[in-house]
């Protein structure tokens, strides 16, 4: 199966740049997510973490 995909991809000019771009997008996304988690305000995190509990209390 892989030989069919590899054969088709080898015929495309500049195809080697796509894995690099996808790796950069993946890495940048998780770096930004990590930065957001570290810089998030504790009050916001506590408020959001209590949302499911607040919804259950409002139904009763």
């Amino acid at each position: 199966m892989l030989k069919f995909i590899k054969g088709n991809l080898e015929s495309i000019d500049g195809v080697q740049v796509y894995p690099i771009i996808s790796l950069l997008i993946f890495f940048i996304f998780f770096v930004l997510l990590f930065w957001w988690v570290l810089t998030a305000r504790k009050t916001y995190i506590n408020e959001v973490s209590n949302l499911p509990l607040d919804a259950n209390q409002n139904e009763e």
Side-chain angles (χ1 to χ4, degrees):
M1 176 78 177
L2 185 60
K3 65 180 177 179
F4 297 118
I5 296 171
K6 187 177 179 183
N8 288 335
L9 290 177
E10 287 176 348
S11 64
I12 300 173
D13 291 331
V15 75
Q16 64 272 12
V17 79
Y18 292 114
I20 296 170
I21 291 172
S22 62
L23 180 66
L24 284 174
I25 291 170
F26 179 81
F27 182 74
I28 289 170
F29 172 76
F30 280 103
V31 166
L32 290 175
L33 185 65
F34 184 71
W35 174 76
W36 179 80
V37 167
L38 288 179
T39 60
R41 287 178 279 161
K42 302 300 179 197
T43 56
Y44 175 75
I45 292 174
N46 288 332
E47 180 183 335
V48 173
S49 66
N50 289 327
L51 280 177
L53 299 175
D54 291 341
N56 289 338
Q57 291 174 356
N58 290 338
E59 291 176 1
E60 295 175 353

